[in-house]
Amino acid sequence: MGRTLHRYVFLQILAPFAAGLALFTFILLIARIMKLVEMVVNRGVPALEILRVFSYILPAFLEVTVPMALLLACLLACGRLSADSEITAMKAAGLSLYQIGAPIAAFAGIVFVLSLFLSLYARPWGNSALKTAIFDLARTRATVGLKEHVFNDEFKGLVIYVEKIEPPGSNLRRILISDRRQAGEENTVAAKRGVLVTHEDTRSVNLRLFDGVIFTSRNSEQGYHKTDFNTYDVNLNLSEALGQMETREREPSEMPLRELVGAVAERQDGADARAERVELARRFSIPFAALVFAVIGVP
């Protein structure tokens, strides 16, 4: 009888846990989902690439929503069993409170292990892969977004006109650019040729122009200034091209556990390691919250 009742209580927790996990994750992801859909509809990013980016985002949200779903499951399941007097019936059948709570403790242990895996491995992997994927998408948009004989305004403050694009798409001929990124100043750049240069280390893309001229006009001055150049770089803002999605430097949240522990140990000489220490504590505290929520939810 005990095994049957344990299975029954376990299943009573499983259903609200799954429902709560789906609901909480959807609520947290809804803003990102709208942003990803906008990238498919308006930016022309392939849906398959968006699904890949979505898979990288998901572990960071699951790390938080899994303990929340466990708390909801304990509250709903134990509340229903108590309201229907099923707990009273179990006690009358000779089961103690500890025996009734055994399947709940087992379920909480499973959730703890799952949360620990998400926190220690899945989320850092997802954060690191997400930054690489966003950079690859932005680089693709920088190349594919430029079209011949079209005033391209993919990048905020820039209007780029290209007369000819040579295969594979990174070599440009006869380029005209209107640059209004600085307030009160407008630069009109004309160049005979250009090339898109990708910097993997800084995760940026520059449009490098050759043999051209810059006409600069300011609101505070009459006339314009003319500057000839042999080489001139125009930085293409990747975050603007991809809807303000960030392309930051490597952070503690992207480090594997061993690298994070090593970073904390290396900075014991007085260097500021607060960000790394907070991240290290976070990776263990959030999974431990699943056990705390189970203890709180049952009473």
Side-chain angles (χ1 to χ4, degrees):
M1 181 180 67
R3 182 173 299 178
T4 302
L5 288 175
H6 287 170
R7 187 184 303 110
Y8 175 74
V9 174
F10 190 93
L11 293 177
Q12 291 299 310
I13 298 177
L14 182 60
F17 173 80
L21 181 62
L23 177 62
F24 292 143
T25 304
F26 177 77
I27 291 174
L28 293 180
L29 281 175
I30 187 64
R32 288 295 184 96
I33 291 175
M34 298 302 295
K35 180 71 66 177
L36 296 177
V37 170
E38 188 269 341
M39 290 171 61
V40 174
V41 175
N42 297 334
R43 301 293 182 179
V45 179
L48 187 61
E49 292 296 321
I50 293 301
L51 290 176
R52 184 166 65 94
V53 171
F54 182 81
S55 68
Y56 299 149
I57 297 173
L58 195 57
F61 290 98
L62 288 177
E63 180 193 23
V64 178
T65 57
V66 165
M68 294 169 57
L70 176 63
L71 175 61
L72 178 67
C74 289
L75 291 173
L76 293 180
C78 294
R80 194 200 67 77
L81 291 174
S82 178
D84 294 344
S85 300
E86 294 187 26
I87 292 181
T88 303
M90 293 179 189
K91 288 183 177 180
L95 293 177
S96 66
L97 183 61
Y98 296 105
Q99 290 175 307
I100 298 173
I104 301 177
F107 193 91
I110 295 173
V111 172
F112 170 75
V113 173
L114 175 61
S115 298
L116 198 62
F117 171 78
L118 289 171
S119 182
L120 295 182
Y121 302 104
R123 183 173 63 89
W125 166 83
N127 289 339
S128 180
L130 176 63
K131 189 170 72 172
T132 301
I134 289 177
F135 173 69
D136 292 337
L137 284 176
R139 181 175 55 186
T140 301
R141 292 303 302 149
T143 304
V144 178
L146 297 178
K147 298 178 175 60
E148 295 180 348
H149 308 293
V150 174
F151 289 95
N152 302 275
D153 58 354
E154 286 283 327
F155 304 94
K156 186 176 181 180
L158 291 175
V159 178
I160 304 174
Y161 178 87
V162 181
E163 187 170 322
K164 183 177 179 58
I165 300 178
E166 299 177 348
S170 57
N171 295 315
L172 316 176
R173 296 288 180 179
R174 293 178 289 281
I175 306 149
L176 181 65
I177 299 176
S178 174
D179 186 352
R180 297 186 177 183
R181 291 177 294 181
Q182 290 189 2
E185 179 178 302
E186 179 179 357
N187 292 316
T188 302
V189 185
K192 293 182 179 179
R193 62 188 182 92
V195 61
L196 287 168
V197 180
T198 302
H199 302 282
E200 294 284 350
D201 52 345
T202 59
R203 298 191 179 278
S204 61
V205 174
N206 286 349
L207 175 55
R208 181 161 296 169
L209 305 175
F210 302 94
D211 302 327
V213 60
I214 304 174
F215 298 94
T216 303
S217 61
R218 298 183 176 89
N219 295 340
S220 59
E221 302 177 3
Q222 293 184 349
Y224 61 87
H225 299 276
K226 177 184 177 182
T227 305
D228 296 314
F229 64 84
N230 292 325
T231 304
Y232 180 72
D233 281 0
V234 178
N235 180 263
L236 303 181
N237 192 326
L238 302 185
S239 62
E240 291 290 350
L242 282 176
Q244 299 293 342
M245 297 189 77
E246 298 178 354
T247 53
R248 302 169 297 178
E249 297 295 329
R250 187 172 180 85
E251 293 187 350
S253 61
E254 303 167 8
M255 297 180 181
L257 181 60
R258 180 176 299 179
E259 182 179 344
L260 183 62
V261 173
V264 173
E266 289 176 1
R267 300 188 182 185
Q268 295 295 335
D269 57 354
D272 186 8
R274 283 177 294 180
E276 289 78 5
R277 290 175 180 172
V278 169
E279 174 63 23
L280 185 61
R282 182 182 188 274
R283 294 194 184 182
F284 291 96
S285 61
I286 291 183
F288 185 74
L291 301 178
V292 176
F293 284 166
V295 173
I296 294 176
V298 172

